[in-house]
Amino acid sequence: MWKLISGLLALPVLLVLAVLMLFRGSEDYTRVVNLNWELDLPASQGCLYETDSGASFHGDGERYHILEYAGDGRLEQALAEQATPLPSAENPVTEILDDLSVPADQRPDFADCGVFTADHPSDDRNRLYLLVNSAGTRLYVVEFFL
């Protein structure tokens, strides 16, 4: 009898865990950008490349993602409305990508990209660089947390 009751009690817990794993696996990185930087970017079609400096006790480190988009203009519109354009960010972005050992074929073509940034809501020492290619099909997200 106790086995039946404990089995029935465990079933909802297992169901909740399965649903959480399903949603976690399908999470788009733009949700993380929204949580960290308060930018509401359109969902991407997928992540083409990602790397980071690893977990840290203080939460500091560097992250890099390449997101794929359809090129329908929604990404560029969201960036124009919510982010701050920069004339260039080649030096700080290259430094971060070097620290992360990002291969050359996974780096943005700076001559073909518009560059944007946004302030971190709680710590202005943190840095975000958003580079979008001229076709609007790639978003390079470079984050530095202190």
Side-chain angles (χ1 to χ4, degrees), residues 57-143:
F57 178 76
H58 297 288
D60 58 345
E62 300 159 322
R63 287 186 256 181
Y64 178 59
H65 290 77
I66 304 173
L67 305 178
E68 183 175 30
Y69 281 87
D72 58 10
R74 293 183 318 130
L75 174 61
E76 296 96 323
Q77 180 180 354
L79 290 171
E81 292 173 357
Q82 301 175 57
T84 304
L86 291 175
S88 175
E90 187 169 355
N91 290 338
V93 168
T94 299
E95 185 177 315
I96 293 169
L97 299 183
D98 287 348
D99 288 347
L100 293 171
S101 301
V102 174
D105 65 334
Q106 298 298 332
R107 294 179 181 222
D109 175 1
F110 292 100
D112 184 50
C113 288
V115 184
F116 297 85
T117 189
D119 293 329
H120 191 271
S122 64
D123 191 337
D124 62 359
R125 297 175 299 165
N126 295 333
R127 296 284 176 248
L128 171 71
Y129 302 100
L130 301 165
L131 296 90
V132 61
N133 69 350
S134 61
T137 57
R138 297 282 186 277
L139 177 65
Y140 303 89
V141 181
V142 183
E143 297 171 282

